[in-house]
Amino acid sequence: MGLLKFENLPVNTLVGADKKTFDTVTRGAEIDEDRHRKFVTTKCIRRLLDPFYAINEKRYASLSPNPDTEAPVFILGHWRSGTTFVHNVLSCDDSFGCCSTYQTVFPHLMLWGRPFFKRCMSLVMPSERPTDSMALGVDLPQEEEFALSNMTACAHYHFWMFPRRMAEYRDKYLTFTTATEVERQEFMQALDKLIRISLHVTGKKRFLSKNPPHTGRIRMLLEMYPDAKFIYLVRNPYAVFESTRSFFRNTLAPIRLQTISDEELKREILLNYRALYEHYEADKILIPEGHLAEVRFEEFEAHPLETAEALYRKLSLGDFGRVRPAMERYLEGQRGFRKKTYHLDLKTRQAVEQYWGDALRQWDYWP
């Protein structure tokens, strides 16, 4: 168990960034006075790690391409749509390689010094997520956008540090609508590097991704991996909104370097969902037949093994019978876990219906 609670972390996630990424993201940025100490501490620790990053880069340069790797499987869906639960269940399949929590924080310390730095991280990191009390651990699967934010300035999760720039980060690096071609290429190179390192370290041939921001990047993902498989999760938008607002508030609290008002945060959540929904609906027709499965989270939650088996059949993911026992063991360990319940006031329900009405109607969640 870690020594610190999430809200008491002395640094933010940029502690694992390389110098170029850190300097680009923070150059000229407004930092609130009460967050200056956290920024300086993060910067100092990050600087101390530079020599070790250099060693890792040399190791990466010597990696040989693996021609036996298979196209990735991407779990998509807006935040709080059940992507973590599905990721945890499917990652019980030991044929998959995943981005670990350790890799998200220290993507540049994967090829040299990893055992030592993992031990250091495990001693201080919180043991639970701040929003829903789901377990955290250095080796547990995690979404790769956190790692990408330490590898490139062209990643969406820099909004955690600078929430007043959420609109800019949405248009540039969530959907890449206003990004330049140079920025697109930088992001794709970082993602491919992350996946190559993850598969090398885990010794696996297929990467299992869980990353809500990828929901708006299908064109880019297909450009990189034409044979990729996709699992798209939908969940009752009313529950998604309130759960997302709670998640964002709790995650922003220890990481942010700027403040954002509750009203601004509410608006940005509504606009983020709309952007992801519209980009996904417009681009899913590009996915080849048999490479996309759309799943209601409520169905997966109620019947996880049966739904997982259906996914394996539809996407040709392999022998489900081989992995079923491992999934059963994981699910048995989750018995007794209680989700939070949320109740929206009338004004918030109306806002969700105004911005997300298309999704409510399409998936039969309209009241």
Side-chain angles (χ1 to χ4, degrees):
M1 180 178 293
L3 299 175
L4 298 175
K5 293 185 177 181
F6 199 81
E7 61 268 23
N8 296 329
L9 290 174
V11 296
N12 64 30
T13 53
L14 276 175
V15 71
D18 59 272
K19 185 179 187 303
K20 177 185 175 183
T21 298
F22 186 93
D23 290 347
T24 303
V25 171
T26 60
R27 186 180 298 120
E30 294 181 54
I31 299 173
D32 290 353
E33 185 176 348
D34 66 331
R35 292 291 159 145
H36 189 70
R37 175 178 293 182
K38 176 167 286 194
F39 170 72
V40 172
T41 303
T42 301
K43 185 175 182 178
C44 289
I45 295 176
R46 192 221 62 74
R47 186 177 295 168
L48 290 172
L49 295 172
D50 274 342
F52 305 111
Y53 292 171
I55 297 172
N56 275 264
E57 282 304 299
K58 289 181 180 179
R59 292 283 181 93
Y60 177 71
S62 67
L63 281 186
S64 300
N66 186 348
D68 295 328
T69 57
E70 301 179 56
V73 176
F74 292 99
I75 300 172
L76 309 176
H78 189 274
W79 296 272
R80 315 307 296 164
S81 292
T83 55
T84 296
F85 181 58
V86 174
H87 192 216
N88 288 343
V89 172
L90 297 188
S91 66
C92 293
D93 183 341
D94 61 9
S95 69
F96 287 126
C98 300
C99 180
S100 67
T101 302
Y102 171 79
Q103 187 176 10
T104 64
V105 180
F106 295 116
H108 304 291
L109 292 173
M110 291 291 291
L111 301 176
W112 185 90
R114 184 162 45 95
F116 171 76
F117 289 108
K118 274 178 60 176
R119 178 61 178 163
C120 293
M121 179 175 165
S122 66
L123 289 174
V124 298
M125 73 172 291
S127 58
E128 295 179 343
R129 296 201 310 189
T131 298
D132 51 17
S133 299
M134 289 195 74
L136 284 176
V138 291
D139 292 315
L140 291 178
Q142 189 56 265
E143 60 193 65
E144 61 264 26
E145 195 75 14
F146 286 107
L148 291 167
S149 68
N150 282 328
M151 299 172 71
T152 171
C154 307
H156 180 243
Y157 277 4
H158 295 304
F159 86 81
W160 292 119
M161 279 68 74
F162 304 106
R164 292 200 291 267
R165 299 174 63 184
M166 284 181 73
E168 174 190 347
Y169 286 129
R170 175 175 57 250
D171 294 338
K172 269 194 167 186
Y173 306 134
L174 180 62
T175 63
F176 281 80
T177 303
T178 62
T180 66
E181 182 59 25
V182 171
E183 290 170 324
R184 286 181 71 255
Q185 292 299 324
E186 179 176 328
F187 174 84
M188 290 191 289
Q189 288 169 11
L191 176 59
D192 194 61
K193 179 178 181 179
L194 179 151
I195 292 176
R196 282 191 64 200
I197 290 175
S198 180
L199 293 180
H200 173 79
V201 168
T202 59
K204 309 300 182 182
K205 295 182 179 180
R206 170 171 271 184
F207 186 76
L208 178 64
S209 162
K210 170 255 178 178
N211 200 47
H214 283 340
T215 308
R217 302 167 179 162
I218 287 176
R219 285 179 182 267
M220 294 172 65
L221 297 177
L222 287 173
E223 184 179 337
M224 298 174 67
Y225 311 107
D227 296 324
K229 306 290 180 72
F230 297 88
I231 300 168
Y232 177 64
L233 285 162
V234 294
R235 184 186 179 191
N236 187 321
Y238 296 111
V240 166
F241 173 82
E242 199 55 54
S243 184
T244 301
R245 179 157 62 175
S246 175
F247 171 56
F248 277 26
R249 281 172 173 167
N250 282 282
T251 305
L252 281 168
I255 296 177
R256 67 174 179 82
L257 297 175
Q258 297 176 341
T259 56
I260 184 173
S261 71
D262 282 346
E263 195 59 33
E264 289 173 309
L265 182 61
K266 174 181 175 180
R267 174 176 169 79
E268 294 303 328
I269 292 171
L270 291 168
L271 291 174
N272 278 353
Y273 186 107
R274 184 76 194 181
L276 289 180
Y277 171 79
E278 290 178 346
H279 275 75
Y280 171 78
E281 289 298 323
D283 293 344
K284 70 180 183 180
I285 61 172
L286 302 173
I287 301 174
E289 182 70 25
H291 287 230
L292 170 65
E294 297 183 327
V295 181
R296 288 180 182 268
F297 172 66
E298 293 87 352
E299 179 183 350
F300 194 100
E301 183 180 41
H303 308 286
L305 291 173
E306 295 82 355
T307 311
E309 184 174 14
L311 287 174
Y312 269 64
R313 285 198 306 269
K314 183 167 187 177
L315 299 177
S316 301
L317 296 180
D319 179 11
F320 183 76
R322 183 186 66 83
V323 302
R324 182 183 179 110
M327 292 183 182
E328 287 177 334
R329 288 192 295 272
Y330 171 76
L331 292 167
E332 184 63 30
Q334 298 304 300
R335 291 187 182 276
F337 178 79
R338 293 182 177 273
K339 293 190 307 179
K340 289 185 178 180
T341 57
Y342 300 98
H343 302 283
L344 277 67
D345 57 53
L346 178 60
K347 183 178 178 181
T348 302
R349 290 183 66 89
Q350 289 173 339
V352 171
E353 290 163 6
Q354 176 186 350
Y355 284 87
W356 301 359
D358 290 344
L360 285 162
R361 284 185 285 269
Q362 179 178 345
W363 294 99
D364 296 324
Y365 288 112
W366 194 269

